[in-house]
Amino acid sequence: MNLLLVAVGLSKVVFGGLVAALGIWLAFRGLNRLLGTDPTVDLSQGNAAAGIVHAASLLALGVLVHNAVNATFDAVDLTVRGPSVEPSALGRLLFFALTHVGVALLVGTGVLALGVLLFDRITPGVDELAEVRRGNVALALVLAAILLVLAWLTAPGLQATLNGLIPFPDLPPSTFQSPS
């Protein structure tokens, strides 16, 4: 049994769970402000339209933050597999991982807001948010699709941008292999 790998795995479970909890909270709170409603009230009253939009916002934020969490895990794996693990390197890695995920959560929340604003602009004469509050499922499905498409299409760019924040360890030149 490799206790270091067990510890790394458990730390990934905790980190991923904390990021997920924070992302869920941000998605609910951010959308709550945009819709002017309380998601718990919407769900308890059976407002399917609001439920669809809330679910899509959670999925969209998960798509956006998923890459940030994976990049953090990759950096942890590379650090642990190096010749020696220094406490200062772990501290730096934790700082940059939190920064990386925090920026991803903030950008993800901004992308959700952009999706709602974009939908508002392409449907003049319709008060989309009032329609969602009234339970208009057709409108909620289109808004949900817009949120998910924005997330899927912006996630790779966000990942590429944020990867520069992670202090990947220097690897010996013999580690790299040219593609064949």
Side-chain angles (χ1 to χ4, degrees), residues 3 24 43 57 59 70 103 109 116 121 139 168 170 172:
L3 291 179
I24 290 167
L43 298 176
S57 71
L59 289 170
N70 275 347
V103 169
T109 303
V116 172
R121 300 292 283 176
L139 190 132
F168 288 103
D170 292 328

Short mmCIF file of all heavy atoms in Angstrom, two decimals, residues 3 24 43 57 59 70 103 109 116 121 139 168 170 172:
data_model
loop_
_atom_site.label_atom_id
_atom_site.label_comp_id
_atom_site.label_asym_id
_atom_site.label_seq_id
_atom_site.Cartn_x
_atom_site.Cartn_y
_atom_site.Cartn_z
N LEU A 3 0.92 4.86 1.03
CA LEU A 3 0.18 5.81 1.86
C LEU A 3 0.18 7.22 1.27
O LEU A 3 -0.78 7.97 1.46
CB LEU A 3 0.75 5.82 3.28
CG LEU A 3 0.49 4.54 4.08
CD1 LEU A 3 1.12 4.63 5.46
CD2 LEU A 3 -1.00 4.28 4.20
N ILE A 24 -21.80 25.14 -6.32
CA ILE A 24 -23.25 25.02 -6.19
C ILE A 24 -23.81 26.26 -5.50
O ILE A 24 -24.81 26.84 -5.93
CB ILE A 24 -23.63 23.73 -5.43
CG1 ILE A 24 -23.33 22.51 -6.31
CG2 ILE A 24 -25.09 23.75 -4.99
CD1 ILE A 24 -23.36 21.19 -5.56
N LEU A 43 -38.19 25.53 -6.11
CA LEU A 43 -38.20 24.07 -6.15
C LEU A 43 -39.31 23.50 -5.28
O LEU A 43 -39.96 22.52 -5.67
CB LEU A 43 -36.84 23.53 -5.73
CG LEU A 43 -35.67 23.92 -6.64
CD1 LEU A 43 -34.36 23.41 -6.09
CD2 LEU A 43 -35.88 23.43 -8.05
N SER A 57 -27.62 25.89 -14.84
CA SER A 57 -26.55 26.75 -14.31
C SER A 57 -25.55 25.93 -13.51
O SER A 57 -24.35 26.16 -13.59
CB SER A 57 -27.12 27.89 -13.47
OG SER A 57 -27.64 27.42 -12.24
N LEU A 59 -24.88 22.69 -14.03
CA LEU A 59 -24.12 21.92 -15.02
C LEU A 59 -23.10 22.80 -15.75
O LEU A 59 -21.95 22.40 -15.95
CB LEU A 59 -25.06 21.27 -16.03
CG LEU A 59 -25.92 20.12 -15.50
CD1 LEU A 59 -26.97 19.74 -16.52
CD2 LEU A 59 -25.04 18.94 -15.16
N ASN A 70 -9.16 19.65 -12.72
CA ASN A 70 -8.28 18.66 -13.34
C ASN A 70 -6.85 19.17 -13.46
O ASN A 70 -5.90 18.41 -13.25
CB ASN A 70 -8.80 18.26 -14.72
CG ASN A 70 -9.82 17.16 -14.63
OD1 ASN A 70 -9.98 16.53 -13.60
ND2 ASN A 70 -10.54 16.94 -15.71
N VAL A 103 -10.70 31.78 -9.55
CA VAL A 103 -10.88 32.54 -10.79
C VAL A 103 -11.85 31.80 -11.72
O VAL A 103 -12.73 32.41 -12.34
CB VAL A 103 -9.53 32.81 -11.49
CG1 VAL A 103 -9.72 33.36 -12.89
CG2 VAL A 103 -8.69 33.76 -10.65
N THR A 109 -19.32 32.08 -13.10
CA THR A 109 -20.49 32.84 -12.69
C THR A 109 -20.74 33.98 -13.67
O THR A 109 -21.89 34.26 -14.03
CB THR A 109 -20.31 33.37 -11.26
OG1 THR A 109 -20.05 32.25 -10.38
CG2 THR A 109 -21.54 34.10 -10.77
N VAL A 116 -27.52 34.85 -19.56
CA VAL A 116 -28.84 35.43 -19.30
C VAL A 116 -28.98 36.75 -20.05
O VAL A 116 -30.01 37.02 -20.68
CB VAL A 116 -29.08 35.60 -17.79
CG1 VAL A 116 -30.35 36.37 -17.51
CG2 VAL A 116 -29.13 34.24 -17.10
N ARG A 121 -31.04 39.87 -24.83
CA ARG A 121 -30.80 40.70 -26.02
C ARG A 121 -31.36 40.07 -27.30
O ARG A 121 -31.76 40.79 -28.20
CB ARG A 121 -29.30 40.96 -26.20
CG ARG A 121 -28.63 41.68 -25.05
CD ARG A 121 -29.07 43.07 -24.91
NE ARG A 121 -28.44 43.88 -25.92
CZ ARG A 121 -28.68 45.15 -26.11
NH1 ARG A 121 -29.55 45.75 -25.36
NH2 ARG A 121 -28.07 45.82 -27.05
N LEU A 139 -39.28 28.50 -22.60
CA LEU A 139 -38.26 29.54 -22.47
C LEU A 139 -37.11 29.06 -21.59
O LEU A 139 -35.94 29.31 -21.90
CB LEU A 139 -38.90 30.80 -21.89
CG LEU A 139 -38.02 32.02 -21.92
CD1 LEU A 139 -38.78 33.20 -22.48
CD2 LEU A 139 -37.51 32.32 -20.54
N PHE A 168 3.53 24.19 -12.43
CA PHE A 168 3.90 22.82 -12.75
C PHE A 168 5.38 22.63 -12.46
O PHE A 168 6.20 23.52 -12.74
CB PHE A 168 3.62 22.50 -14.23
CG PHE A 168 2.16 22.36 -14.54
CD1 PHE A 168 1.47 23.38 -15.18
CD2 PHE A 168 1.47 21.22 -14.18
CE1 PHE A 168 0.12 23.26 -15.47
CE2 PHE A 168 0.12 21.09 -14.46
CZ PHE A 168 -0.55 22.10 -15.10
N ASP A 170 9.30 21.49 -12.73
CA ASP A 170 10.21 21.28 -13.85
C ASP A 170 10.52 19.80 -13.94
O ASP A 170 10.85 19.16 -12.94
CB ASP A 170 11.51 22.08 -13.65
CG ASP A 170 11.24 23.57 -13.74
OD1 ASP A 170 10.34 23.97 -14.49
OD2 ASP A 170 11.94 24.32 -13.03
N PRO A 172 12.73 16.68 -15.93
CA PRO A 172 13.96 16.51 -16.70
C PRO A 172 13.64 16.33 -18.18
O PRO A 172 12.57 15.82 -18.54
CB PRO A 172 14.59 15.24 -16.12
CG PRO A 172 13.58 14.64 -15.22
CD PRO A 172 12.49 15.63 -14.97
#
